[in-house]
Amino acid sequence: MISERDSETTFEEDSQPNDEVVPYSDDETEDELDRRQPGAEPGPNQTSRDAEESRDPGKKDCSWQVKANDQRFYDQPGFKRTIFLCFKKSKYAGNAIKTYKYNPITFLPLNLFEQFKRAANFYFLVLLILQSIPQISTLSWYTTLVPLLLVLGITAVKDLVDDIARHRMDNEVNNRTCDVIKDGRFKATKWKDIKVGDIIRLKKNTFVPADILLLSSSEPNSLCYVETAELDGETNLKFKMALEVTHRHLQEQSALADFDGLVECEEPNNRLDKFTGSLSWRNSNYSLDADKILLRGCKIRNTDFCHGMVIFAGADTKIMKNSGKTRFKRTKIDSLMNYMVYTIIVVLILLSAGLAIGHTYWEQQIGNSSWYLYDAQDSSPAYRGFLNFWGYIIVLNTMVPISLYVSVEVIRFGQSYFINWDLQMYYPEKDTAAKARTTTLNEQLGQIQYIFSDKTGTLTQNIMTFKKCCINGQRYGDCRDAAGQLQGHPEQQVDFSWNVYADGKFLFYDHYLIEQIKSGKEPEIQKFFFLLAICHTVMADTSDGQLNYQAASPDEGALVTAARNFGYVFLSRTQSTITISEMGVERTYDVLAILDFNSDRKRMSVIVREAGGNIRLYCKGADTVIYERLHPRNVMREATEEALDVFASETLRTLCLCYRDISQDEFEVWNKKFQEASLATSHRDEALDKVYEEIEKNLILLGATAIEDKLQDGVPETISRLSKADIKIWVLTGDKKETAENIGFSCELLTEETAICYGEDTSALLQTRLENQRNTAGSSPHSSLRMNEPFFQGSRDRALIITGSWLNEILLEKKKKKKKLKLKFPRTAEEKKKQTEKRRRAEAYKEQQQKNFVDLACECRAVICCRVTPKQKAMVVELVKKYKKAITLAIGDGANDVNMIKTAHIGVGISGQEGMQAVMSSDYSFGQFRYLQRLLLVHGRWSYIRMCKFLRYFFYKNFAFTLVHIWYSFFNGFSAQTAYEDWFITLYNVLYSSLPVLLVGLLDQDVSDKLSLRFPKLYVLGQRDLLFNYKKFFVSLLHGAVTSLIIFFIPYGAYLKSMGQDGEAPADYQSFAVTAASSLIFVVNFQIGLDTSYWTFVNAFSVFGSIALYFGITFDLHSAGIHVLFPSGFQFTGTAPNALRQPYLWLTMILSIAICLLPVVAQRFLSMTIWPSESDKIQRNRRKYLLEEQHWKRRQSAFRRGVSARRSAYAFSHQRGYADLISSGRSIRKRRAPLDAVLAGGGPASGHTRDTS
């Protein structure tokens, strides 16, 4: 029995998720949800509804209307939406895109608003206002205004530079041009001026500017080939095809200008693979689907021109709908820094309040009775205390360092340029340098715990290469000479110059295979390559004398290209024939049937008529499906299986090749069934698959191919290093499960020892955990402890591989069908309460399930999510951020990765062959995945260490400087008098102590870049926040407080009742202020010297230069000349020259400096000797390490037999291939038939092989 709680939170548990399907549940229509209800029978109502929909495709919820060539159509009130009060705007977006934040009008107010959201900036604005009130201020207004203007100005300039770069990129895209019909003819128009309903013309190799309905093209039947790399990362060509009616009537400019069709379709959404709508034209309705839509971001290929009608523009396009919101990203240290500033403000208020109370007490006890202190104002002690509270707020304001933020910005800016200038992250092949596209996240690169990576184009090059094969039980592809003997290094590649059709790019090292092909003694080898040349759906065209192939997948293209180089060249095809050059002899074969690939069949076949009229079926497919259909007496079965195991251990993608002869009678019987299935109006695909099964049996095995899905250089080494840095790597891809798993092995995310957990296993584990949580909730005090137990027992290496469908199932993200509107009586309060409680429980259940999933996934060393949508990628990242509070990085190269890149704390774009969408949305970009290790382990780690060291020191030097005022208060009646000269207070943070710490923040490094890469464990410091946290902050506070005590009380004790050499007491206020200030400058500058790990001339110059600068400026400011010019501003006339000529004062300063620094030196020595850190150990042995070999050796995969589960046979596209196009003849240009064919009158069924050589 199912309880009420169960029933309300169960989401279609009967339906088993489909691993092959990419789920798009976020925008599913009611009808789709209806059809996907488990166990729903078609029934008479459903049947009649389907029939009705087929008659009227526009019957569905198609509220988006687009009229061609009629801009006045969109001015109707029904197409307007209210944006503010009575202001209305068209619901149709313009085509301009906007990624910038400011414009000339909004820059100043918006930027100032953003800056004053920072606690410190707002605090100093309030302080500036307080300083302008003479009754409470003991400091001049310029001491706050100058630093504040400096901070605001530098930050504003940096933000302006960043935004100008965004404006430039937007303008570059928005100002691209294409031809649009205006005033009856095509005119060049900028993308930003394109509107919904416009008719546009696109040319070969141009990007599609908006989502458009394809109307016609230069190709037969208005086919249009597009590359969707920007959308899904796939570089193989896909085809789109216009409606037959628009193909026939809309080829000429005049016809396109007169076109007035009305499209009714779905509202803008993010589903890249679905489109529902209809075209109404000339009193007829025509159904539209995704095959007739060209999406923004696609590139027109192999099509001279095409025409289209804009359906969605700008922000409404599917690519922009998948981009997600632009998020304001801040680092963890930024947040911590803000909290510390709040802490300092609280401490400041408490100290000021305490000192104000002290002043009130002092006034009552001493001030009122001391006639010589009378100031002619009869204020009460309480009022004087109140004024002093604000006075101390001003005096102690340097506890909240205003220059902190500007210094942090300068350091980040400099570190960004170091990333940009790093030649070791420059990719020469594409002339691509690393680019820090934001300057605010550098130190966060040193704290990454999870990396979420795309697969295609990020880990792989998306280039398939034919590496090895097994023919008749014999393996080929190793480096061998013509006699079959293994060669040593260097490897010598095969010379294909004997083949006029060789493409010049194909690399192969087995000379023995070439000799076997040339000799012609092995008929099995000839059949093998003949099969590769004939069994495919590739299409060929010739441009500039070069033979080019268009394949439905890069795998299939690689196989046909390999056959071409080995002498079996696919030249051309017609609707029913295929022409092949076999070792220079050109032959044309009749193709009787193409049995196309789909994800269930995992194979494809062709039936051809060979010489002599015999009919043969050639088949290629996954070993699992081919071996089930082999003839029982296949002698090469075991040898081929052994070869498959070897190929699999090398992480190559394998396919089995086989054939069988078919008698004429058998073919005729089968062909009749095939034709019937082809004409079926319902369940056509299932009927065809059933007919295919009947002929694909008793196959004779020829051998197997091994293709390398070429990884980018250095991917396994990078992943290995990052794993050693305790970074977990998750791969999120739209690719199929087999492919993703195979790449997991290739890049060593998965090994032979890894225990893999799949979606169904995960679902079962989570269901069990959830039931246990429900049953034990509140039953015992130890139940919560038991529920935190790990999901997996033991220390075995584990990985999780899960598909998008299972992800939706597990995370309860499947969209529930909305109930139809029914007339009901108003609900009672009790019913409303029950409904609210039900929803609350469902949300709690969902949240618990998601938390459990994240806990389970994080127990695995690697996670691979395949067949996931862009929205799911972002959701997975968001879940880890939410439940693990971990710092995340997402890396990708296509538009389908943009949402994930924006969601992660740090987004990295790979600027490769798949467009710039990911790069434009990223925080950092570079040319290859391998540069990620240097970005994190070197730049990220250094940035984190530098920033932490900078912040610790900065807080220390400000506390040491400011707290002296507090100790001085005990000797001046808590009167808010400053312990230093005003100009010293103004220049302390700006000139006297800023440069050394800035240089440490920019240049310091504990170990070199090579050692950082060699010892990835050093990275763990940042992940655990060990170098900067509240503990370190309070240690800096304590250190500063102790330093301030020494700097005040050592001179105080030394001057007490003492006499100078000239008979004068040196203990006047001004001499004391100079002594304390000089001691402070020496201490803080020597302290940063002790904190510096990497000394350069610049560091040494900055430390001693700052001290020299202090004395130079102090002597100038204390000179008589400047006092004559500005008597009220410079009152310490002659103090420094008089005081600093006394040895007693210098001895006092030396004693203060020694007492401040010697304990620090002792503590550092003891910690490095007794408790050395990992970096201390490496520094100690750095010379030894630098002499050793620096190469990183890749771990070899262990060879194991019988790992069939490892084999990836995904050598086909995600969808069906081009078979329907080929067999229907729609893709073939009309040519005159040869004369002999006309005379013979032979059809496809009666034709024979024709030699044309």
Side-chain angles (χ1 to χ4, degrees):
M1 178 178 174
I2 300 174
S3 67
E4 184 189 351
R5 179 174 58 182
D6 290 331
S7 63
E8 71 207 25
T9 54
T10 301
F11 290 69
E12 300 182 24
E13 288 174 356
D14 302 339
S15 59
Q16 185 78 354
N18 184 352
D19 283 347
E20 304 296 339
V21 173
V22 178
Y24 273 85
S25 61
D26 47 327
D27 282 306
E28 277 178 329
T29 63
E30 294 293 307
D31 300 293
E32 287 170 323
L33 286 163
D34 260 343
R35 292 194 187 105
R36 288 173 63 168
Q37 287 295 315
E41 294 297 326
N45 293 339
Q46 178 70 34
T47 309
S48 63
R49 185 168 62 181
D50 286 347
E52 191 180 342
E53 282 176 2
S54 64
R55 284 196 304 273
D56 184 7
K59 179 106 175 173
K60 289 184 184 178
D61 182 24
C62 296
S63 57
W64 190 264
Q65 295 185 330
V66 180
K67 185 86 179 284
N69 292 317
D70 186 1
Q71 288 303 316
R72 284 180 298 179
F73 175 78
Y74 308 106
D75 295 334
Q76 298 177 51
F79 299 143
K80 303 280 185 183
R81 57 187 171 87
T82 304
I83 51 170
F84 178 71
L85 298 176
C86 59
F87 296 100
K88 293 195 173 184
K89 185 181 175 184
S90 172
K91 73 171 185 174
Y92 299 93
N95 202 43
I97 60 162
K98 172 191 160 189
T99 60
Y100 59 84
K101 287 162 67 178
Y102 311 112
N103 62 37
I105 296 168
T106 62
F107 172 71
L108 204 59
L110 263 183
N111 189 262
L112 286 174
F113 175 72
E114 282 184 1
Q115 290 207 58
F116 282 120
K117 281 201 295 188
R118 281 181 171 166
N121 288 352
F122 183 72
Y123 164 77
F124 275 95
L125 181 66
V126 172
L127 200 69
L128 187 62
I129 295 165
L130 289 175
Q131 274 186 285
S132 62
I133 304 170
Q135 284 86 351
I136 61 174
S137 179
T138 56
L139 269 177
S140 304
W141 54 268
Y142 54 77
T143 58
T144 300
L145 181 65
V146 173
L148 182 63
L149 286 178
L150 196 69
V151 169
L152 296 177
I154 290 174
T155 309
V157 168
K158 185 189 75 67
D159 289 344
L160 183 64
V161 169
D162 284 349
D163 213 54
I164 287 171
R166 291 192 202 99
H167 270 278
R168 282 184 184 145
M169 293 200 79
D170 287 350
N171 288 335
E172 184 189 332
V173 173
N174 290 332
N175 291 325
R176 290 177 185 169
T177 59
C178 73
D179 295 335
V180 178
I181 285 196
K182 291 185 183 294
D183 305 323
R185 61 192 182 87
F186 281 112
K187 293 181 181 176
T189 305
K190 291 180 179 178
W191 278 23
K192 65 182 178 184
D193 298 325
I194 292 172
K195 296 181 175 64
V196 169
D198 281 347
I199 304 298
I200 66 176
R201 178 170 63 197
L202 301 171
K203 295 172 184 173
K204 187 193 279 189
N205 297 328
T206 58
F207 282 104
V208 180
D211 291 355
I212 66 172
L213 168 66
L214 180 63
L215 298 175
S216 59
S217 81
S218 58
E219 296 298 297
N221 292 286
S222 286
L223 275 173
C224 180
Y225 297 99
V226 293
E227 185 183 272
T228 59
E230 284 256 359
L231 298 174
D232 54 20
E234 292 182 31
T235 51
N236 52 292
L237 297 185
K238 297 179 176 65
F239 65 86
K240 305 286 182 178
M241 190 164 63
L243 287 166
E244 189 181 348
V245 64
T246 59
H247 161 65
R248 278 203 318 268
H249 298 291
L250 298 178
Q251 293 288 350
E252 299 299 322
Q253 178 176 283
S254 56
L256 287 161
D258 294 336
F259 177 57
D260 61 350
L262 176 69
V263 171
E264 294 181 272
C265 64
E266 62 196 14
E267 292 279 327
N269 58 63
N270 66 353
R271 296 166 60 196
L272 296 172
D273 67 335
K274 298 279 175 69
F275 181 83
T276 307
S278 66
L279 169 66
S280 303
W281 188 42
R282 296 181 176 178
N283 301 319
S284 297
N285 276 358
Y286 306 94
S287 179
L288 302 176
D289 57 25
D291 289 335
K292 296 171 181 61
I293 302 296
L294 304 183
L295 300 181
R296 179 176 178 136
C298 293
K299 202 170 194 178
I300 307 296
R301 295 286 197 191
N302 300 97
T303 306
D304 293 333
F305 63 84
C306 68
H307 302 116
M309 169 183 170
V310 177
I311 305 295
F312 304 126
D316 291 335
T317 57
K318 292 183 182 283
I319 190 172
M320 297 303 286
K321 287 283 181 185
N322 269 298
S323 294
K325 290 181 182 175
T326 302
R327 299 161 189 251
F328 177 65
K329 295 182 178 181
R330 296 175 62 195
T331 65
K332 201 173 181 178
I333 281 182
D334 254 342
S335 305
L336 196 60
M337 211 157 62
N338 264 0
Y339 283 119
M340 286 173 181
V341 168
Y342 299 145
T343 305
I344 292 172
I345 290 172
V346 170
V347 169
L348 173 63
I349 290 168
L350 292 175
L351 282 173
S352 300
L355 293 167
I357 292 166
H359 182 70
T360 305
Y361 178 78
W362 184 86
E363 277 287 336
Q364 287 174 340
Q365 299 298 316
I366 300 169
N368 283 346
S369 58
S370 304
W371 57 268
Y372 53 86
L373 294 174
Y374 182 65
D375 58 0
Q377 291 184 3
D378 298 317
S379 303
S380 67
Y383 179 69
R384 287 178 182 274
F386 173 74
L387 292 180
N388 254 36
F389 169 76
W390 297 107
Y392 270 113
I393 290 282
I394 294 168
V395 168
L396 301 178
N397 76 76
T398 46
M399 281 178 70
V400 183
I402 188 168
S403 56
L404 172 67
Y405 285 100
V406 72
S407 303
V408 165
E409 294 299 336
V410 169
I411 288 169
R412 286 172 173 166
F413 195 67
Q415 287 167 349
S416 298
Y417 271 94
F418 292 150
I419 292 171
N420 297 347
W421 293 336
D422 192 343
L423 288 176
Q424 294 188 55
M425 292 168 69
Y426 171 72
Y427 187 45
E429 286 184 33
K430 293 277 176 73
D431 189 27
T432 305
K435 173 80 175 161
R437 297 172 52 80
T438 180
T439 57
T440 56
L441 301 172
N442 296 325
E443 68 273 9
Q444 191 114 300
L445 289 169
Q447 297 182 281
I448 303 299
Q449 291 160 279
Y450 288 86
I451 291 175
F452 299 90
S453 173
D454 177 41
K455 182 192 78 69
T456 310
T458 303
L459 297 176
T460 67
Q461 298 181 25
N462 206 20
I463 298 171
M464 307 300 164
T465 50
F466 181 92
K467 296 296 284 185
K468 296 186 178 183
C469 60
C470 171
I471 308 172
N472 207 23
Q474 172 75 39
R475 293 202 303 273
Y476 299 96
D478 293 319
C479 190
R480 296 190 292 184
D481 59 23
Q485 299 299 312
L486 285 170
Q487 286 182 315
H489 292 278
E491 298 173 344
Q492 185 180 357
Q493 65 187 59
V494 169
D495 180 16
F496 288 104
S497 58
W498 55 272
N499 181 358
V500 293
Y501 289 108
D503 67 354
K505 301 173 189 172
F506 183 68
L507 301 178
F508 200 72
Y509 300 95
D510 194 341
H511 297 260
Y512 182 57
L513 178 58
I514 300 297
E515 289 304 312
Q516 294 287 82
I517 293 171
K518 286 181 178 177
S519 69
K521 294 176 183 175
E522 290 281 346
E524 300 299 327
I525 293 179
Q526 294 173 351
K527 281 180 192 171
F528 183 91
F529 287 106
F530 177 76
L531 189 154
L532 290 181
I534 204 166
C535 182
H536 56 78
T537 58
V538 173
M539 288 185 273
D541 71 342
T542 305
S543 60
D544 302 326
Q546 291 291 317
L547 183 64
N548 299 313
Y549 293 146
Q550 300 160 17
S553 78
D555 305 60
E556 196 164 51
L559 292 174
V560 178
T561 302
R564 165 187 180 170
N565 283 281
F566 287 119
Y568 289 77
V569 188
F570 162 56
L571 296 175
S572 64
R573 72 188 329 141
T574 66
Q575 184 175 347
S576 57
T577 65
I578 185 166
T579 303
I580 292 171
S581 168
E582 302 170 40
M583 300 301 288
V585 180
E586 205 171 295
R587 295 192 176 98
T588 301
Y589 295 89
D590 290 324
V591 179
L592 306 180
I594 299 178
L595 286 56
D596 203 4
F597 162 84
N598 68 33
S599 56
D600 294 323
R601 281 168 42 73
K602 296 185 180 177
R603 63 190 183 281
M604 78 155 291
S605 305
V606 294
I607 301 175
V608 296
R609 190 180 298 278
E610 295 199 324
N614 59 311
I615 299 169
R616 181 169 283 175
L617 176 141
Y618 291 98
C619 179
K620 65 181 181 188
D623 58 297
T624 49
V625 293
I626 295 294
Y627 268 60
E628 292 170 3
R629 290 159 179 81
L630 290 180
H631 193 281
R633 296 179 183 173
N634 259 288
V635 290
M636 293 304 160
R637 186 183 184 118
E638 286 75 19
T640 306
E641 189 159 13
E642 189 173 320
L644 286 168
D645 289 343
V646 173
F647 297 155
S649 72
E650 296 170 10
T651 67
L652 300 174
R653 296 158 69 146
T654 56
L655 271 186
C656 286
L657 309 187
C658 51
Y659 72 96
R660 69 165 289 211
D661 291 312
I662 304 170
S663 68
Q664 182 69 36
D665 293 339
E666 184 185 359
F667 175 73
E668 286 175 2
V669 172
W670 178 85
N671 194 39
K672 188 177 178 183
K673 294 179 183 177
F674 173 59
Q675 296 301 333
E676 288 172 0
S678 300
L679 298 171
T681 54
S682 61
H683 306 294
R684 177 174 174 265
D685 291 347
E686 290 83 352
L688 280 171
D689 289 350
K690 192 174 178 183
V691 174
Y692 294 165
E693 282 286 344
E694 293 179 17
I695 199 82
E696 292 172 327
K697 59 186 180 184
N698 294 326
L699 302 171
I700 298 167
L701 189 62
L702 267 175
T705 61
I707 289 177
E708 182 180 33
D709 185 359
K710 205 164 176 57
L711 286 174
Q712 290 185 11
D713 294 338
V715 167
E717 293 85 346
T718 301
I719 287 175
S720 177
R721 275 203 181 118
L722 294 174
S723 297
K724 288 181 179 177
D726 212 15
I727 299 172
K728 291 192 174 179
I729 298 169
W730 293 24
V731 177
L732 311 178
T733 175
D735 230 330
K736 295 192 72 172
K737 187 163 74 172
E738 294 92 336
T739 320
E741 186 172 338
N742 201 53
I743 288 297
F745 280 102
S746 296
C747 62
E748 298 185 6
L749 262 180
L750 310 175
T751 64
E752 298 298 346
E753 292 75 35
T754 305
I756 298 175
C757 183
Y758 293 100
E760 47 272 31
D761 313 320
T762 308
S763 184
L765 281 167
L766 292 172
Q767 198 63 37
T768 306
R769 172 63 59 92
L770 205 57
E771 288 302 320
N772 291 343
Q773 284 171 336
R774 283 174 166 182
N775 295 335
T776 57
S779 62
S780 86
H782 304 294
S783 60
S784 61
L785 293 174
R786 287 204 302 273
M787 285 305 101
N788 290 330
E789 288 177 1
F791 284 87
F792 304 109
Q793 301 303 319
S795 57
R796 193 171 177 192
D797 190 17
R798 295 182 189 277
L800 172 64
I801 297 179
I802 191 165
T803 59
S805 299
W806 271 112
L807 208 55
N808 268 0
E809 179 83 8
I810 289 167
L811 301 180
L812 309 177
E813 287 291 337
K814 296 176 81 173
K815 190 172 177 182
K816 295 173 79 174
K817 186 178 180 300
K818 292 175 187 173
K819 292 177 180 177
K820 303 291 182 192
L821 188 63
K822 292 179 183 176
L823 289 171
K824 284 183 71 178
F825 291 107
R827 287 185 297 183
T828 63
E830 191 177 344
E831 282 177 334
K832 285 181 181 176
K833 189 178 177 184
K834 274 186 180 178
Q835 195 68 26
T836 307
E837 183 62 22
K838 188 190 273 190
R839 275 199 298 269
R840 191 191 63 76
R841 281 209 299 265
E843 279 303 312
Y845 173 89
K846 180 178 176 179
E847 192 167 319
Q848 187 60 55
Q849 179 81 335
Q850 291 182 343
K851 184 179 185 304
N852 288 345
F853 170 74
V854 172
D855 289 341
L856 184 147
C858 292
E859 284 182 29
C860 300
R861 189 175 63 87
V863 177
I864 298 175
C865 301
C866 34
R867 305 303 269 156
V868 288
T869 67
K871 187 175 181 182
Q872 283 181 311
K873 288 183 178 185
M875 181 184 70
V876 169
V877 176
E878 190 61 56
L879 286 175
V880 173
K881 281 172 65 178
K882 181 179 178 182
Y883 294 115
K884 285 292 166 187
K885 307 292 183 209
I887 305 298
T888 58
L889 178 146
I891 179 168
D893 65 329
N896 56 340
D897 304 314
V898 168
N899 208 344
M900 168 176 82
I901 283 169
K902 286 182 175 179
T903 304
H905 290 100
I906 288 179
V908 177
I910 290 191
S911 43
Q913 57 189 1
E914 296 172 11
M916 297 294 286
Q917 285 288 334
V919 170
M920 285 171 70
S921 304
S922 66
D923 306 306
Y924 299 88
S925 66
F926 41 68
Q928 293 273 283
F929 181 83
R930 68 176 182 270
Y931 300 142
L932 184 63
Q933 61 179 322
R934 188 166 178 85
L935 182 72
L936 299 187
L937 302 183
V938 177
H939 290 287
R941 192 176 150 277
W942 279 353
S943 295
Y944 174 73
I945 289 171
R946 289 164 180 168
M947 187 59 73
C948 293
K949 195 174 276 191
F950 166 82
L951 290 172
R952 292 198 310 264
Y953 174 78
F954 207 95
F955 285 124
Y956 155 74
K957 79 180 180 74
N958 274 66
F959 288 134
F961 164 63
T962 308
L963 296 181
V964 170
H965 295 304
I966 295 175
W967 316 132
Y968 182 50
S969 296
F970 289 93
F971 300 91
N972 64 19
F974 305 99
S975 60
Q977 185 184 358
T978 57
Y980 310 112
E981 181 198 6
D982 284 2
W983 283 104
F984 177 78
I985 294 171
T986 305
L987 298 175
Y988 175 74
N989 273 321
V990 178
L991 290 178
Y992 301 155
S993 62
S994 59
L995 190 58
V997 70
L998 268 180
L999 288 172
V1000 165
L1002 284 168
L1003 303 175
D1004 203 47
Q1005 43 184 275
D1006 55 344
V1007 296
S1008 68
D1009 55 344
K1010 289 180 181 175
L1011 291 174
S1012 294
L1013 289 170
R1014 189 171 176 188
F1015 298 98
K1017 271 289 177 191
L1018 291 170
Y1019 188 81
V1020 174
L1021 286 171
Q1023 293 170 329
R1024 296 178 185 167
D1025 297 322
L1026 294 179
L1027 297 185
F1028 188 68
N1029 46 45
Y1030 260 103
K1031 180 185 171 186
K1032 296 287 183 186
F1033 169 71
F1034 283 115
V1035 167
S1036 295
L1037 195 156
L1038 184 64
H1039 187 191
V1042 170
T1043 301
S1044 67
L1045 274 168
I1046 294 166
I1047 279 168
F1048 178 80
F1049 282 105
I1050 293 289
Y1052 176 77
Y1055 289 168
L1056 196 64
K1057 299 179 181 176
S1058 63
M1059 188 68 68
Q1061 281 183 328
D1062 55 1
E1064 295 178 7
D1068 65 285
Y1069 161 68
Q1070 293 188 343
S1071 296
F1072 179 83
V1074 169
T1075 308
S1078 303
S1079 301
L1080 178 70
I1081 292 300
F1082 275 112
V1083 168
V1084 295
N1085 280 291
F1086 286 165
Q1087 179 66 49
I1088 195 65
L1090 291 175
D1091 288 342
T1092 302
S1093 304
Y1094 183 69
W1095 276 93
T1096 63
F1097 167 77
V1098 181
N1099 291 83
F1101 178 79
S1102 69
V1103 169
F1104 295 106
S1106 294
I1107 296 170
L1109 187 69
Y1110 159 72
F1111 282 110
I1113 291 175
T1114 301
F1115 274 90
D1116 283 343
L1117 295 180
H1118 292 189
S1119 66
I1122 202 163
H1123 174 72
V1124 170
L1125 292 172
F1126 308 100
S1128 61
F1130 300 91
Q1131 297 172 354
F1132 274 51
T1133 311
T1135 304
N1138 288 333
L1140 294 174
R1141 63 185 171 81
Q1142 299 191 38
Y1144 186 79
L1145 188 145
W1146 283 99
L1147 288 170
T1148 304
M1149 284 163 53
I1150 290 168
L1151 182 63
S1152 302
I1153 295 163
I1155 293 175
C1156 282
L1157 296 180
L1158 284 176
V1160 177
V1161 173
Q1163 182 266 330
R1164 297 277 168 88
F1165 174 76
L1166 287 172
S1167 68
M1168 288 181 70
T1169 309
I1170 303 169
W1171 310 285
S1173 67
E1174 196 70 30
S1175 62
D1176 290 337
K1177 294 174 187 173
I1178 292 165
Q1179 270 183 315
R1180 198 178 296 161
N1181 299 309
R1182 65 182 179 276
R1183 288 186 182 174
K1184 183 184 85 173
Y1185 292 136
L1186 289 172
L1187 291 172
E1188 290 176 4
E1189 188 181 6
Q1190 295 294 308
H1191 297 298
W1192 192 275
K1193 290 189 170 120
R1194 179 179 171 182
R1195 184 176 72 256
Q1196 293 296 316
S1197 297
F1199 170 75
R1200 282 178 60 192
R1201 293 283 304 276
V1203 280
S1204 58
R1206 277 269 322 274
R1207 298 177 201 153
S1208 172
Y1210 182 48
F1212 307 97
S1213 65
H1214 289 181
Q1215 299 84 24
R1216 283 183 177 272
Y1218 296 152
D1220 284 345
L1221 269 180
I1222 295 161
S1223 55
S1224 66
R1226 288 174 292 179
S1227 64
I1228 313 300
R1229 294 186 183 276
K1230 300 290 183 277
R1231 297 191 181 95
R1232 279 174 59 183
L1235 184 61
D1236 58 346
V1238 174
L1239 293 173
S1246 60
H1248 298 286
T1249 306
R1250 293 177 289 279
D1251 284 5
T1252 56
S1253 58

